[in-house]
Amino acid sequence: MEVYIANDYTELCKIASKNILNVIKSKPNAILGLPTGGTSIGMYKELVKMYKEGILSFSKVTTFNLDEYEGLGKEDANSYYKFMYDNFFKHVDIKYDNINIPDGLASDSNKECEEYEMKIRKAGGMDLVVLGIGENGHIGFNEPSDFFSGFSYRVKLHEDTIRANSRFFNSADEVPKYALTMGIRTIMLSKKIMLLASGENKAKAIKSAIEGVITPSIPASILQLHRDVTVVLDKKSASLLSWSDSYKIV
Ligand SMILES: N[C@@H]1[C@@H](O)[C@H](O)[C@@H](COP(=O)(O)O)O[C@@H]1O
C-alpha cells in the first residue's frame, strides 16, 4: 500500500486526478471503476480541468460506477447517475455508450447486478477502481458484515450509511434502504485501486482500514491484501495514523 498524506483537500484531488491521468496515458482505453460522494467531487473537477486544457481525453475510456441506490432513476436529483453526469460525464468527451452505472430502476436488482458483473468481465476487468470510504469503513456500498461480499449484488444499507447520506436528501426517511453495488471481490479483481478520504470524520475508518486487522466489520481493511493500492488522504483523515514513517507526506 502506498499512502500519500496531502496537506489539504485541494492537494488530495490533484494527486488523485494525476494518478488517473497516468493510468489513461499508459492505456488510453482504460477501464475505470468510479465513485460518487462528496470526496470525489474535487477530483472530477480536476479531471474536467485537465480535459479542457487538452491534457487528457476520455474518448476511449470505459467507466463502471461502483454503485447506485435502488429505486432512484436517472432524473432523480439523488441518483448516482445524475451525480456522475452533472459532476463529470457531461463536461468531458467520454462516449455515452462507454458509461456503465447499475440501473436503480431495474425490475430485478439481483439480475441487474449479475448482468453488471458480466459486463465488467466482458470489458476485461477494471484497470483502476477509485474508492471513497464510509465513516463505518464501507467501500462502494459494501457495509460492515460477518463476511466479505463476492461479486456485484443488491445490498441492504446500514443505518449509519442512511444517516450519513441523509445530508443529501430532505430527511433520512427519503434515503433508499437498498442499493446495487460492486462486491468486494469485484473491487479486489481490479488491477489497481485508489482509496480517497478527506476530513476528520473519516479518521477512525482510515486508521482501522490501513493499520487495523483485516476484518469484514471494516470492509476497506481487505485492501491491505491487494498488491497495488494507493491511498490518498488529507491531514485530517490521516490524523489517527501511527506508522507515519511509512507514509509519503506531500
Ligand atoms: N456509496 C458511496 C460510497 O461509495 C462513498 O465512498 C461514500 C463516501 O461519501 P463521501 O465522500 O460523501 O463521504 O458515500 C457513499 O456511501
Side-chain angles (χ1 to χ4, degrees), residues 36-39 66-67 80 132-134 138 140-141 161 165 167-168 202:
T36 50
T39 313
L66 278 162
D67 46 17
Y80 285 164
I133 186 169
H138 77 223
F141 266 137
T161 301
N165 289 5
R167 68 190 194 275
F168 299 113
K202 300 290 172 69

Side-chain angles (χ1 to χ4, degrees), residues 1 7 13 20 23 33 36-38 48 59 63 107 109 116 124 127 142 144 157 162 187 191 206 214 228 236 242 248:
M1 239 184 204
N7 208 28
C13 295
I20 296 177
V23 168
T36 50
V48 170
S59 63
T63 62
S107 55
S109 296
Y116 197 65
D127 295 298
N142 291 281
L157 296 179
I162 292 178
I187 292 170
K191 292 181 192 85
I206 284 297
I214 298 167
D228 192 347
K236 288 180 180 163
S242 328
K248 297 186 172 121

Side-chain angles (χ1 to χ4, degrees), residues 3-6 12 196-197 206 210 231-235 237-238 241:
V3 180
Y4 292 85
I5 303 177
L12 177 159
L196 310 177
I206 284 297
I210 297 179
V231 182
V232 191
L233 308 171
D234 62 3
K235 274 186 183 161
S237 63
L241 294 178

